[in-house]
Amino acid sequence: MKKKFNVISLLITAVLLIALAGCGKNAGGSASKNVTLKLGHNQPTSSPFHAGAEKFAELVAEKSDGNVKVDVYHDSQLGDEGELATGTKMGTVDISLVATGSVTQYYPRYSMFDLPFLFRDYDHVDKVLQGEVGEQLASEAEEQGGFKVMSYWESGFRHYVNSKRPLKSPQDLEGLKIRTPEWPVLTSATETLGASAVPMPFSELYMAAQHGVVDGQEGPIFAIKSSKMYEVQDYMVLDGHTYTAMLLIMNPDKFNSLSKDVQDVLIEASKEAGDYERKLIRDNEKKDIQYLKEEGDLEIEENPDKEAWRKAVQPVYDKYSDEFGKDLIQKIMDTK
């Protein structure tokens, strides 16, 4: 009899333990307390990327009452952009801030954003990315690419810079060795302009420019300033050939394992931090250009003939339009 009583007691205890373990969870997944997430990006602590990532971490802590912590890793500490994208997809990195071009091996359609002169200005960008097109591509990316897009951030419009000669026209790029990210469309655009594209990780760029492995690069204004590329470059043109959207992406399994309240916190914080980061990029552009001219001693062509640059890269559209979908490209261009 005593033995039977002990068995019943053990069963009751087991049921209670299981019930208690479930109290910290909901249908959405794991406990909402004491969650720590790793977020990686490839820029220095002086960059808007890092400021935005820190703002995201701050907002997550605030909105979760301290139950969720985000540890931010800068300067490619968790890998360059390609490695961050792969790590996030595979689950070795929880969250990463990467350019659309860095996820195209998993979701090729994001390469469309690298088409030169696709976007007119920042207002056009916002209407596309924060609207129907942005939502459609984010949804497709999760279904087809295997990563969750939490929100759109930005790197900004990109410009050419080099150490050899002034860039007064597209023809002045001919023969130059230009570093590009490992993004096919952007590489194609650079080669269409007559330069030799040299794909390499951003973390290797300064040394490559310093030792003449490359003559120049292309990129957003803030990155040229924050990485001190003006120390090894002399000439720049504000051609704005491509706009680069950044994605705050998360491993979907990790996201889905979290409770609904934590998921809501992460999405809300990511969008607020994205607004903050984009504002930093845009508010600082004029000051950064002035800094590059005065402190960086760059000779800058500020008012290039944009129409000449557009015509020069038209073959890139001829090459990629069918792949990305002419209708969607036209929809983006027609967005007012």
Side-chain angles (χ1 to χ4, degrees):
M1 188 73 177
K2 187 174 181 180
K3 186 174 182 181
K4 184 177 180 182
F5 176 78
N6 286 341
V7 171
I8 293 171
S9 296
L10 286 171
L11 286 171
I12 292 172
T13 301
V15 170
L16 286 171
L17 286 172
I18 292 169
L20 286 170
C23 286
K25 302 182 180 183
N26 70 4
S30 67
S32 59
K33 289 188 177 182
N34 303 319
V35 176
T36 300
L37 302 168
K38 293 187 297 183
L39 186 161
H41 67 81
N42 74 342
Q43 290 291 319
T45 54
S46 59
S47 69
F49 284 12
H50 190 70
E54 290 285 352
K55 173 63 74 173
F56 173 67
E58 175 189 317
L59 288 167
V60 168
E62 176 187 309
K63 292 175 185 293
S64 69
D65 295 323
N67 291 322
V68 184
K69 181 184 179 187
V70 177
D71 291 332
V72 178
Y73 295 82
H74 52 85
D75 286 297
S76 301
Q77 289 174 321
L78 300 182
D80 61 37
E81 277 201 4
E83 292 166 333
L84 284 170
T86 298
T88 304
K89 178 179 169 62
M90 301 303 293
T92 56
V93 179
D94 298 316
I95 303 170
S96 60
L97 181 60
V98 296
T100 49
S102 293
V103 301
T104 55
Q105 60 181 314
Y106 306 117
Y107 178 60
R109 209 173 194 189
Y110 264 140
S111 287
M112 177 172 52
F113 288 167
D114 296 331
L115 287 169
F117 303 105
L118 178 66
F119 294 103
R120 297 184 297 275
D121 51 34
Y122 284 124
D123 183 57
H124 184 205
V125 164
D126 290 343
K127 286 176 179 174
V128 172
L129 296 191
Q130 308 305 321
E132 183 183 330
V133 171
E135 290 178 7
Q136 174 190 336
L137 296 180
S139 178
E140 288 180 6
E142 184 168 1
E143 292 172 10
Q144 301 171 27
F147 54 88
K148 182 171 187 62
V149 178
M150 294 198 291
S151 57
Y152 289 96
W153 296 25
E154 80 181 9
S155 185
F157 285 93
R158 306 175 74 91
H159 314 278
Y160 286 105
V161 58
N162 81 104
S163 61
K164 295 296 184 182
R165 54 178 175 262
L167 301 174
K168 302 290 186 183
S169 71
Q171 289 72 34
D172 292 325
L173 272 174
E174 192 165 344
L176 295 180
K177 294 176 292 183
I178 299 294
R179 178 268 173 183
T180 65
E182 299 178 72
W183 306 343
V185 178
L186 189 51
T187 297
S188 178
T190 300
E191 291 177 341
T192 297
L193 293 170
S196 296
V198 184
M200 69 171 62
F202 185 82
S203 57
E204 299 174 11
L205 175 56
Y206 187 97
M207 193 73 72
Q210 191 175 42
H211 290 91
V213 176
V214 295
D215 300 318
Q217 86 235 39
E218 58 74 59
I221 292 164
F222 88 86
I224 294 167
K225 177 177 179 284
S226 65
S227 60
K228 299 186 177 180
M229 290 306 302
Y230 53 83
E231 295 178 347
V232 290
Q233 308 288 6
D234 299 296
Y235 308 101
M236 182 177 181
V237 58
L238 299 182
D239 62 299
H241 53 274
T242 302
Y243 169 84
T244 296
M246 302 296 295
L247 307 172
L248 193 68
I249 63 173
M250 186 167 182
N251 176 266
D253 291 336
K254 184 70 175 181
F255 182 84
N256 292 329
S257 76
L258 299 171
S259 60
K260 179 65 164 56
D261 59 331
V262 170
Q263 292 176 357
D264 291 345
V265 161
L266 291 173
I267 295 297
E268 186 179 335
S270 76
K271 291 181 178 178
E272 288 184 27
D275 291 343
Y276 173 82
E277 186 265 355
R278 289 196 306 278
K279 190 173 189 303
L280 277 181
I281 293 273
R282 299 173 192 189
D283 286 352
N284 288 328
E285 271 198 349
K286 287 184 180 179
K287 289 185 288 185
D288 287 347
I289 290 170
Q290 201 62 29
Y291 181 93
L292 291 173
K293 285 196 298 186
E294 295 178 0
E295 302 297 325
D297 199 28
L298 279 183
E299 181 180 319
I300 301 178
E301 177 62 43
E302 296 190 60
N303 296 294
D305 181 354
K306 290 284 188 77
E307 191 55 36
W309 287 83
R310 285 191 188 92
K311 287 180 179 178
V313 294
Q314 183 56 44
V316 181
Y317 280 83
D318 299 336
K319 181 177 180 179
Y320 287 104
S321 288
D322 287 339
E323 179 180 336
F324 300 142
K326 291 180 180 178
D327 290 346
L328 188 56
I329 291 172
Q330 196 60 50
K331 184 176 182 178
I332 291 173
M333 289 182 161
D334 290 343
T335 298
K336 303 295 184 185

Coordinates of all heavy atoms in Angstrom, one line a residue, residues 62-133:
E62 N 14.2 47.9 -22.8 CA 13.1 48.8 -22.2 C 11.7 48.2 -22.4 O 10.9 48.1 -21.4 CB 13.2 50.2 -22.9 CG 12.1 51.2 -22.4 CD 12.2 52.4 -23.3 OE1 13.3 53.0 -23.4 OE2 11.1 52.8 -23.9
K63 N 11.4 47.7 -23.6 CA 10.1 47.2 -23.9 C 9.8 45.8 -23.2 O 8.7 45.5 -23.1 CB 9.9 47.1 -25.4 CG 9.8 48.5 -26.1 CD 9.8 48.3 -27.6 CE 9.8 49.7 -28.3 NZ 8.6 50.5 -28.1
S64 N 10.9 45.1 -22.9 CA 10.7 43.8 -22.3 C 10.9 43.8 -20.8 O 11.0 42.8 -20.1 CB 11.7 42.8 -22.9 OG 13.1 43.1 -22.6
D65 N 11.0 45.1 -20.2 CA 11.3 45.2 -18.8 C 12.5 44.5 -18.3 O 12.6 43.9 -17.3 CB 10.1 44.7 -18.0 CG 8.8 45.5 -18.2 OD1 8.9 46.8 -18.4 OD2 7.7 44.9 -18.3
G66 N 13.6 44.5 -19.2 CA 14.8 44.0 -18.9 C 14.9 42.4 -19.0 O 16.0 41.8 -18.7
N67 N 13.9 41.8 -19.6 CA 13.9 40.4 -19.7 C 14.6 39.9 -20.9 O 15.0 38.7 -21.0 CB 12.4 39.9 -19.7 CG 11.7 40.0 -18.4 OD1 12.3 39.8 -17.4 ND2 10.4 40.4 -18.5
V68 N 14.8 40.8 -21.9 CA 15.5 40.4 -23.1 C 16.7 41.3 -23.3 O 16.6 42.5 -23.3 CB 14.6 40.5 -24.4 CG1 15.3 40.0 -25.6 CG2 13.3 39.7 -24.2
K69 N 17.9 40.7 -23.5 CA 19.1 41.4 -23.7 C 19.7 41.2 -25.1 O 19.6 40.0 -25.6 CB 20.1 41.0 -22.7 CG 21.5 41.7 -22.8 CD 22.5 41.2 -21.8 CE 23.8 41.9 -21.9 NZ 24.9 41.3 -21.1
V70 N 20.1 42.2 -25.8 CA 20.7 42.1 -27.1 C 22.2 42.5 -27.0 O 22.5 43.7 -26.6 CB 20.0 43.0 -28.2 CG1 20.8 42.9 -29.5 CG2 18.6 42.5 -28.3
D71 N 23.1 41.6 -27.2 CA 24.6 41.9 -27.3 C 25.0 42.3 -28.7 O 24.7 41.5 -29.6 CB 25.4 40.7 -26.8 CG 25.2 40.4 -25.3 OD1 24.9 41.4 -24.5 OD2 25.3 39.3 -24.9
V72 N 25.5 43.5 -28.9 CA 25.9 44.0 -30.2 C 27.4 43.7 -30.5 O 28.3 44.1 -29.6 CB 25.6 45.5 -30.3 CG1 26.0 46.0 -31.7 CG2 24.1 45.7 -30.1
Y73 N 27.7 43.1 -31.6 CA 29.1 42.9 -32.0 C 29.3 43.7 -33.3 O 28.7 43.5 -34.3 CB 29.3 41.4 -32.3 CG 29.1 40.5 -31.1 CD1 27.8 40.1 -30.6 CD2 30.2 40.1 -30.3 CE1 27.7 39.3 -29.5 CE2 30.1 39.3 -29.2 CZ 28.8 38.9 -28.8 OH 28.7 38.2 -27.7
H74 N 30.3 44.5 -33.3 CA 30.6 45.5 -34.4 C 31.9 45.0 -35.1 O 32.5 44.0 -34.8 CB 30.8 46.9 -33.8 CG 31.8 47.0 -32.7 ND1 33.2 47.1 -32.9 CD2 31.6 46.9 -31.4 CE1 33.8 47.1 -31.7 NE2 32.9 47.0 -30.8
D75 N 32.2 45.8 -36.2 CA 33.5 45.6 -36.9 C 33.7 44.1 -37.4 O 34.8 43.6 -37.3 CB 34.7 46.0 -36.0 CG 34.8 47.5 -35.9 OD1 35.0 48.1 -37.0 OD2 34.7 48.0 -34.8
S76 N 32.7 43.5 -37.8 CA 32.8 42.1 -38.4 C 33.3 41.1 -37.3 O 33.9 40.1 -37.7 CB 33.7 42.1 -39.6 OG 33.2 42.9 -40.6
Q77 N 33.0 41.4 -36.0 CA 33.4 40.4 -35.0 C 32.8 39.1 -35.1 O 33.4 38.0 -34.8 CB 33.1 41.0 -33.6 CG 34.0 42.2 -33.2 CD 33.5 42.8 -31.9 OE1 32.3 42.9 -31.6 NE2 34.4 43.2 -31.1
L78 N 31.6 39.0 -35.7 CA 30.9 37.7 -35.9 C 31.0 37.3 -37.4 O 30.4 36.4 -37.8 CB 29.4 37.8 -35.5 CG 29.2 38.2 -34.0 CD1 27.6 38.2 -33.8 CD2 29.9 37.2 -33.1
G79 N 31.8 38.1 -38.2 CA 32.0 37.7 -39.6 C 31.6 38.9 -40.5 O 31.0 39.9 -40.0
D80 N 32.1 38.9 -41.7 CA 31.7 40.0 -42.7 C 30.2 39.8 -43.0 O 29.6 38.8 -42.6 CB 32.6 40.0 -43.9 CG 32.6 38.7 -44.7 OD1 31.5 38.1 -44.8 OD2 33.6 38.2 -45.2
E81 N 29.7 40.6 -43.9 CA 28.3 40.6 -44.2 C 27.8 39.2 -44.7 O 26.8 38.7 -44.3 CB 27.9 41.7 -45.1 CG 27.7 43.0 -44.4 CD 26.8 44.0 -45.2 OE1 26.4 43.6 -46.3 OE2 26.7 45.1 -44.8
G82 N 28.6 38.7 -45.7 CA 28.2 37.4 -46.2 C 28.1 36.3 -45.1 O 27.2 35.5 -45.1
E83 N 29.1 36.3 -44.2 CA 29.2 35.3 -43.2 C 28.1 35.6 -42.1 O 27.5 34.6 -41.6 CB 30.5 35.4 -42.5 CG 31.7 34.9 -43.4 CD 33.1 35.3 -42.8 OE1 33.2 36.3 -42.1 OE2 34.0 34.5 -43.2
L84 N 27.7 36.9 -41.9 CA 26.6 37.2 -41.0 C 25.3 36.7 -41.5 O 24.5 36.1 -40.8 CB 26.6 38.7 -40.8 CG 27.6 39.3 -39.8 CD1 27.6 40.8 -39.9 CD2 27.4 38.9 -38.4
A85 N 25.1 36.9 -42.8 CA 23.9 36.4 -43.5 C 23.7 34.9 -43.4 O 22.7 34.4 -43.0 CB 23.8 36.9 -44.9
T86 N 24.8 34.2 -43.7 CA 24.8 32.8 -43.6 C 24.7 32.3 -42.1 O 23.9 31.4 -41.8 CB 26.1 32.2 -44.1 OG1 26.2 32.6 -45.5 CG2 26.2 30.7 -44.0
G87 N 25.4 33.0 -41.2 CA 25.3 32.6 -39.8 C 23.9 32.8 -39.3 O 23.4 32.0 -38.5
T88 N 23.2 33.8 -39.7 CA 21.8 34.1 -39.3 C 20.9 33.0 -39.8 O 20.0 32.5 -39.2 CB 21.4 35.5 -39.7 OG1 22.3 36.5 -39.1 CG2 20.0 35.8 -39.1
K89 N 21.1 32.7 -41.1 CA 20.2 31.7 -41.7 C 20.4 30.3 -41.0 O 19.5 29.6 -40.8 CB 20.6 31.6 -43.2 CG 19.8 30.5 -43.9 CD 20.1 30.5 -45.4 CE 19.6 29.2 -46.1 NZ 18.1 29.2 -46.1
M90 N 21.7 30.0 -40.7 CA 22.0 28.7 -40.1 C 21.8 28.7 -38.6 O 21.7 27.6 -38.0 CB 23.5 28.4 -40.3 CG 23.9 28.3 -41.8 SD 22.9 27.1 -42.8 CE 23.4 25.6 -42.0
G91 N 21.7 29.9 -37.9 CA 21.4 29.9 -36.5 C 22.6 30.1 -35.6 O 22.4 30.1 -34.4
T92 N 23.8 30.3 -36.1 CA 24.9 30.6 -35.3 C 25.0 32.0 -34.9 O 25.7 32.4 -33.9 CB 26.2 30.2 -36.0 OG1 26.3 30.9 -37.3 CG2 26.3 28.7 -36.3
V93 N 24.3 32.9 -35.6 CA 24.1 34.3 -35.2 C 22.5 34.5 -35.1 O 21.8 34.0 -36.0 CB 24.6 35.3 -36.3 CG1 24.4 36.7 -35.9 CG2 26.1 35.0 -36.5
D94 N 22.1 35.2 -34.1 CA 20.7 35.4 -33.9 C 20.1 36.4 -34.8 O 19.1 36.2 -35.5 CB 20.4 35.8 -32.4 CG 20.8 34.7 -31.4 OD1 20.5 33.5 -31.7 OD2 21.4 35.0 -30.4
I95 N 20.8 37.6 -34.8 CA 20.3 38.7 -35.6 C 21.5 39.4 -36.3 O 22.6 39.4 -35.7 CB 19.7 39.8 -34.7 CG1 18.5 39.2 -33.8 CG2 19.1 41.0 -35.4 CD1 18.0 40.1 -32.7
S96 N 21.3 39.9 -37.5 CA 22.4 40.6 -38.1 C 21.8 41.8 -39.0 O 20.7 41.7 -39.4 CB 23.3 39.7 -39.0 OG 22.5 39.1 -40.0
L97 N 22.7 42.8 -39.1 CA 22.3 43.9 -40.0 C 23.2 43.8 -41.2 O 24.4 44.0 -41.2 CB 22.6 45.2 -39.2 CG 22.3 46.5 -40.0 CD1 20.8 46.6 -40.3 CD2 22.7 47.7 -39.2
V98 N 22.5 43.5 -42.3 CA 23.2 43.2 -43.6 C 22.5 43.9 -44.7 O 21.3 44.1 -44.7 CB 23.3 41.7 -43.9 CG1 24.2 41.0 -42.8 CG2 22.0 41.0 -43.9
A99 N 23.3 44.1 -45.8 CA 22.7 44.7 -47.0 C 21.9 43.7 -47.8 O 22.2 42.5 -47.7 CB 23.8 45.3 -47.9
T100 N 21.0 44.2 -48.5 CA 20.2 43.3 -49.4 C 21.1 42.4 -50.3 O 20.8 41.3 -50.5 CB 19.2 44.1 -50.2 OG1 19.8 45.2 -50.9 CG2 18.0 44.6 -49.4
G101 N 22.2 43.1 -50.7 CA 23.1 42.3 -51.6 C 23.7 41.2 -51.0 O 24.2 40.3 -51.7
S102 N 23.8 41.2 -49.7 CA 24.5 40.1 -49.0 C 23.6 38.9 -48.7 O 24.1 37.9 -48.2 CB 25.1 40.6 -47.6 OG 26.1 41.6 -47.9
V103 N 22.4 38.9 -49.0 CA 21.5 37.8 -48.8 C 21.0 37.2 -50.1 O 20.2 36.3 -50.1 CB 20.2 38.2 -47.9 CG1 20.7 38.7 -46.6 CG2 19.3 39.2 -48.6
T104 N 21.5 37.7 -51.2 CA 20.9 37.3 -52.5 C 21.3 35.9 -52.9 O 20.6 35.3 -53.8 CB 21.4 38.3 -53.6 OG1 22.8 38.4 -53.6 CG2 20.8 39.7 -53.4
Q105 N 22.3 35.3 -52.3 CA 22.5 33.9 -52.6 C 21.4 33.0 -52.1 O 21.2 31.9 -52.5 CB 23.8 33.4 -52.0 CG 23.9 33.5 -50.4 CD 25.2 33.1 -49.9 OE1 25.8 32.0 -50.3 NE2 25.8 33.9 -49.0
Y106 N 20.6 33.5 -51.1 CA 19.4 32.8 -50.6 C 18.1 33.3 -51.1 O 17.2 32.5 -51.2 CB 19.4 32.9 -49.0 CG 20.7 32.5 -48.4 CD1 21.5 33.4 -47.7 CD2 21.2 31.2 -48.6 CE1 22.8 33.0 -47.2 CE2 22.4 30.8 -48.1 CZ 23.2 31.7 -47.3 OH 24.4 31.3 -46.8
Y107 N 18.1 34.6 -51.4 CA 16.9 35.2 -52.0 C 17.3 36.1 -53.1 O 17.5 37.3 -52.9 CB 16.0 35.9 -51.0 CG 14.8 36.5 -51.5 CD1 13.8 35.8 -52.2 CD2 14.6 37.9 -51.4 CE1 12.7 36.4 -52.7 CE2 13.5 38.5 -51.9 CZ 12.5 37.8 -52.6 OH 11.4 38.4 -53.1
P108 N 17.5 35.7 -54.3 CA 18.1 36.5 -55.4 C 17.4 37.7 -55.8 O 18.0 38.7 -56.3 CB 18.2 35.5 -56.6 CG 18.2 34.1 -56.0 CD 17.3 34.3 -54.8
R109 N 16.1 37.8 -55.5 CA 15.3 38.9 -56.0 C 15.7 40.2 -55.3 O 15.5 41.3 -55.8 CB 13.8 38.7 -55.8 CG 13.0 39.4 -56.8 CD 11.5 39.1 -56.7 NE 10.8 39.5 -57.9 CZ 9.5 39.5 -58.0 NH1 8.8 39.0 -57.0 NH2 8.9 39.9 -59.1
Y110 N 16.3 40.2 -54.1 CA 16.8 41.4 -53.5 C 17.9 42.1 -54.2 O 18.2 43.2 -54.0 CB 17.3 41.1 -52.0 CG 16.2 41.3 -51.0 CD1 16.1 40.5 -49.9 CD2 15.3 42.4 -51.0 CE1 15.1 40.7 -48.9 CE2 14.4 42.7 -50.1 CZ 14.2 41.8 -49.0 OH 13.3 42.0 -48.0
S111 N 18.5 41.3 -55.2 CA 19.5 42.0 -56.0 C 19.0 43.1 -56.9 O 19.7 44.0 -57.4 CB 20.2 40.9 -57.0 OG 21.0 40.0 -56.3
M112 N 17.7 43.1 -57.1 CA 17.0 44.1 -57.8 C 17.3 45.5 -57.3 O 17.4 46.5 -58.0 CB 15.5 43.9 -57.8 CG 14.7 44.9 -58.5 SD 12.9 44.3 -58.6 CE 12.6 43.9 -56.9
F113 N 17.4 45.6 -55.9 CA 17.7 46.9 -55.3 C 19.1 47.5 -55.7 O 19.3 48.6 -55.5 CB 17.6 46.8 -53.8 CG 16.2 46.7 -53.3 CD1 16.0 46.3 -52.0 CD2 15.1 46.9 -54.1 CE1 14.7 46.2 -51.5 CE2 13.8 46.7 -53.7 CZ 13.6 46.4 -52.3
D114 N 20.0 46.6 -56.2 CA 21.3 47.1 -56.7 C 21.3 47.6 -58.1 O 22.3 48.1 -58.5 CB 22.3 45.9 -56.6 CG 22.5 45.4 -55.2 OD1 22.3 46.2 -54.2 OD2 22.8 44.2 -55.0
L115 N 20.2 47.6 -58.8 CA 20.1 48.2 -60.1 C 20.4 49.7 -60.0 O 19.9 50.4 -59.2 CB 18.7 48.0 -60.7 CG 18.4 46.5 -61.2 CD1 16.9 46.4 -61.5 CD2 19.2 46.2 -62.4
P116 N 21.3 50.2 -60.9 CA 21.7 51.6 -60.8 C 20.6 52.5 -61.1 O 19.8 52.3 -62.0 CB 22.9 51.7 -61.8 CG 22.7 50.5 -62.7 CD 22.1 49.4 -61.9
F117 N 20.5 53.5 -60.3 CA 19.5 54.6 -60.5 C 18.0 54.1 -60.4 O 17.1 54.7 -61.1 CB 19.8 55.4 -61.7 CG 21.1 56.0 -61.7 CD1 22.1 55.4 -62.5 CD2 21.5 57.1 -61.0 CE1 23.4 55.9 -62.5 CE2 22.8 57.6 -60.9 CZ 23.7 57.0 -61.7
L118 N 17.8 53.0 -59.7 CA 16.4 52.5 -59.6 C 15.6 53.5 -58.7 O 14.4 53.7 -58.9 CB 16.5 51.1 -58.9 CG 15.1 50.5 -58.6 CD1 14.4 50.1 -59.9 CD2 15.3 49.2 -57.8
F119 N 16.2 54.1 -57.7 CA 15.6 55.0 -56.8 C 16.0 56.4 -57.0 O 17.1 56.7 -57.3 CB 15.9 54.6 -55.3 CG 15.4 53.3 -54.9 CD1 16.2 52.2 -54.8 CD2 14.0 53.1 -54.5 CE1 15.8 51.0 -54.3 CE2 13.6 51.9 -54.1 CZ 14.4 50.8 -54.0
R120 N 15.0 57.3 -57.0 CA 15.2 58.7 -57.3 C 15.8 59.5 -56.1 O 16.7 60.3 -56.3 CB 13.9 59.4 -57.7 CG 13.3 58.9 -59.0 CD 12.0 59.7 -59.4 NE 11.0 59.6 -58.4 CZ 10.1 58.6 -58.3 NH1 10.1 57.6 -59.2 NH2 9.1 58.6 -57.4
D121 N 15.2 59.2 -55.0 CA 15.7 60.0 -53.8 C 15.2 59.2 -52.5 O 14.5 58.2 -52.6 CB 15.1 61.4 -53.8 CG 13.6 61.5 -54.1 OD1 12.9 60.5 -53.6 OD2 13.2 62.4 -54.7
Y122 N 15.4 59.8 -51.3 CA 15.0 59.1 -50.1 C 13.5 59.0 -49.9 O 13.0 58.0 -49.4 CB 15.6 59.8 -48.9 CG 17.1 59.5 -48.7 CD1 18.0 60.6 -48.7 CD2 17.6 58.2 -48.6 CE1 19.4 60.3 -48.5 CE2 18.9 57.9 -48.5 CZ 19.8 59.0 -48.4 OH 21.2 58.7 -48.2
D123 N 12.8 60.0 -50.4 CA 11.3 59.9 -50.3 C 10.8 58.7 -51.1 O 9.9 58.0 -50.7 CB 10.7 61.2 -50.8 CG 9.2 61.2 -50.7 OD1 8.7 61.0 -49.5 OD2 8.5 61.4 -51.7
H124 N 11.4 58.5 -52.3 CA 11.0 57.4 -53.2 C 11.3 56.1 -52.5 O 10.5 55.1 -52.5 CB 11.7 57.5 -54.5 CG 11.4 56.5 -55.5 ND1 12.2 56.1 -56.5 CD2 10.3 55.7 -55.7 CE1 11.6 55.2 -57.3 NE2 10.4 54.9 -56.8
V125 N 12.5 56.0 -51.9 CA 12.9 54.8 -51.2 C 11.9 54.4 -50.1 O 11.5 53.3 -50.0 CB 14.3 55.1 -50.5 CG1 14.6 54.0 -49.4 CG2 15.4 55.1 -51.5
D126 N 11.5 55.4 -49.3 CA 10.6 55.1 -48.2 C 9.2 54.6 -48.7 O 8.7 53.7 -48.1 CB 10.4 56.4 -47.3 CG 11.7 56.7 -46.5 OD1 12.5 55.9 -46.4 OD2 11.8 57.9 -46.1
K127 N 8.7 55.2 -49.7 CA 7.4 54.8 -50.3 C 7.5 53.4 -50.8 O 6.5 52.6 -50.7 CB 7.0 55.8 -51.3 CG 6.5 57.1 -50.8 CD 6.2 58.1 -51.9 CE 5.7 59.4 -51.2 NZ 5.5 60.5 -52.3
V128 N 8.6 53.0 -51.3 CA 8.8 51.6 -51.9 C 9.0 50.6 -50.7 O 8.3 49.6 -50.6 CB 9.9 51.5 -52.9 CG1 10.2 50.1 -53.3 CG2 9.6 52.4 -54.1
L129 N 10.0 50.9 -49.9 CA 10.4 49.9 -48.9 C 9.5 49.8 -47.7 O 9.3 48.7 -47.2 CB 11.8 50.2 -48.4 CG 12.9 50.1 -49.4 CD1 14.3 50.1 -48.7 CD2 12.9 48.8 -50.2
Q130 N 8.9 50.9 -47.3 CA 7.9 50.8 -46.2 C 6.5 50.5 -46.7 O 5.5 50.6 -45.9 CB 7.9 52.2 -45.4 CG 9.3 52.6 -45.0 CD 10.1 51.6 -44.2 OE1 9.5 50.9 -43.4 NE2 11.4 51.5 -44.4
G131 N 6.4 50.3 -48.0 CA 5.0 50.0 -48.6 C 4.9 48.6 -49.0 O 5.5 47.6 -48.5
E132 N 4.0 48.4 -50.0 CA 3.6 47.1 -50.5 C 4.8 46.3 -51.0 O 4.9 45.1 -50.7 CB 2.5 47.3 -51.5 CG 2.0 46.0 -52.1 CD 1.0 46.2 -53.2 OE1 0.3 47.3 -53.2 OE2 0.9 45.4 -54.1
V133 N 5.7 46.9 -51.8 CA 6.8 46.2 -52.4 C 7.7 45.7 -51.3 O 8.1 44.5 -51.3 CB 7.6 47.1 -53.4 CG1 8.8 46.4 -53.8 CG2 6.7 47.4 -54.6

